[in-house]
Amino acid sequence: MFIDQVSISVKAGDGGDGCCSFRREKYIPMGGPDGGDGGKGGDVILEADPNLTTLIDLKYKKLYQAENGKPGKGNQMTGKSGKNLIVRLPPGTLVKNEETGELLVDLKEPHQHFIVAKGGHYGQGNARFKSATNRAPKKFGKGKPGDSLQLFLELKLLADVGIIGFPNAGKSTLISRISNARPKIAGYPFTTLVPNLGIVKLGEEESFVAADIPGLIEGAHKGKGLGHQFLRHIERTRLLLHLIDFSDTEPENILDRYHKLQMELKAFNEDLYQKPQILVATKMDDSQSVKNLEKIRSSMNELNPILFEISSVTGEGIEKMLWKIKECLAAEKLKDLEKED
Ligand SMILES: Nc1nc2c(ncn2[C@@H]2O[C@H](COP(=O)(O)OP(=O)(O)OP(=O)(O)O)[C@@H](O)[C@H]2O)c(=O)[nH]1
Ligand SMILES: [Mg+2]
């Protein structure tokens, strides 16, 4: 199962209390104070684990608690610190304080750490309170409670390229041909029910990550089909690959679907709609596709001059398209860097 939103509670460990104790020795009636400090409470630490791609593991366990610090002991013995608790999350998880809505961290980098709840301070033992005027203090510090909060976790997958299109456009077939992803493929709509990530290797060293998401239909923003729920997973991509099935019997349907998809992107959010798109005419091994393209090529080119023709069956046109994607990604990365400066 793919889970991309979940609420959990985290509770850091409480600090251990300081100890109040006096040294008792046979011939020393006024043995000095010797109560040790308590131990610090453990932290709750979030870690981005690149082996994870969903929040499913967090769905059933709701409370994540680090260990409390142990109290101090006599003979100046410090209590043991509580162990930290590490909660592993898929990279791309946005962590929010559920009460305030504040974004605490965006775990973007693999193995990135974030202390989300700090363990409580320890209390001092009475040995610490000894002074010239008070040689036998009974005073000791109490440990402080650890942070406790409710988190809302939202996964937004990290991919360079988002593959979009109507159901049956051939999105999953393409990603399984060009990457290590192996989603289900079938000739009926809504075969893909959850997003799939794949690493596309190009040449010796070049690579990028593509995301195949479930098909969109008209009215997705009103919840039709699988709705808009998976679009958030392509919000962070730099480029959209818009796949269009050209094997339809009516070329008008092809143009119509193109516009409907743009409307749906816009209804989800303007940023997604504004992302650069590469159009891809799929199933070009089919003779009907070739006929259709002849008829509407100029209209398509007016809508978007970058149009590739591919067949995931024969492999035709794919390599050329991948290099273009690489080139566009490099240009987009450059733009982002310039914006940061
Ligand atoms: N002839 C031909 N058929 C293709 C090609 N690409 C995909 N198909 C077929 O089209 C059908 C749909 O392919 P999928 O890859 O499952 O389509 P999808 O876009 O992932 O569909 P959803 O997951 O439902 O959104 C399958 O029967 C594929 O075998 C192609 O290049 N040529
Ligand atoms: Mg699919």
Side-chain angles (χ1 to χ4, degrees), residues 197-314:
L197 284 187
I199 302 167
V200 182
K201 293 217 164 90
L202 263 171
E204 292 285 297
E205 287 173 11
E206 312 265 7
S207 73
F208 59 84
V209 178
D212 163 34
I213 60 165
L216 286 167
I217 55 171
E218 184 184 18
H221 68 284
K222 291 183 190 145
K224 281 230 176 114
L226 289 174
H228 267 171
Q229 55 176 320
F230 296 108
L231 283 179
R232 82 171 79 106
H233 293 293
I234 54 164
E235 266 184 291
R236 308 220 230 187
T237 60
R238 290 197 159 93
L239 183 69
L240 300 178
L241 211 55
H242 180 171
L243 267 54
I244 305 172
D245 180 352
F246 264 68
S247 69
D248 198 292
T249 44
E250 294 300 325
E252 286 72 33
N253 290 348
I254 298 173
L255 284 167
D256 185 47
R257 280 202 295 266
Y258 169 89
H259 291 294
K260 282 179 175 152
L261 200 108
Q262 304 299 339
M263 294 261 295
E264 290 304 326
L265 293 181
K266 204 169 184 170
F268 178 74
N269 88 30
E270 187 68 26
D271 284 350
L272 197 61
Y273 173 69
Q274 294 293 348
K275 271 188 206 290
Q277 279 185 31
I278 289 181
L279 293 187
V280 184
T282 64
K283 310 192 187 178
M284 291 307 292
D285 52 281
D286 188 305
S287 57
Q288 182 67 40
S289 305
V290 179
K291 278 187 218 149
N292 286 336
L293 187 59
E294 273 168 22
K295 282 190 197 145
I296 60 169
R297 185 191 294 276
S298 58
S299 322
M300 288 310 291
N301 280 339
E302 268 172 39
L303 296 167
N304 186 337
I306 313 181
L307 171 69
F308 282 86
E309 301 162 41
I310 66 158
S311 162
S312 296
V313 172
T314 65

Side-chain angles (χ1 to χ4, degrees), residues 171-172 184 191-192 212:
K171 301 180 293 300
S172 302
K184 188 173 163 187
T191 309
T192 302
D212 163 34

Side-chain angles (χ1 to χ4, degrees), residues 19 129 313:
C19 169
F129 296 95
V313 172

Side-chain angles (χ1 to χ4, degrees), residues 166-173 175 183-186 188 190-194 196 212-215:
F166 265 66
N168 262 329
K171 301 180 293 300
S172 302
T173 312
I175 204 173
K184 188 173 163 187
I185 294 166
Y188 55 83
F190 303 114
T191 309
T192 302
L193 300 173
V194 301
N196 300 290
D212 163 34
I213 60 165

Side-chain angles (χ1 to χ4, degrees), residues 4 20 56-57 98 104 115 151 173 204 219 233 248 285 293 299 335 337:
D4 55 7
C20 179
I56 180 81
D57 298 341
E98 190 162 61
L104 303 175
I115 300 177
L151 302 179
T173 312
E204 292 285 297
H233 293 293
D248 198 292
D285 52 281
L293 187 59
S299 322
K335 270 193 222 159
L337 286 177

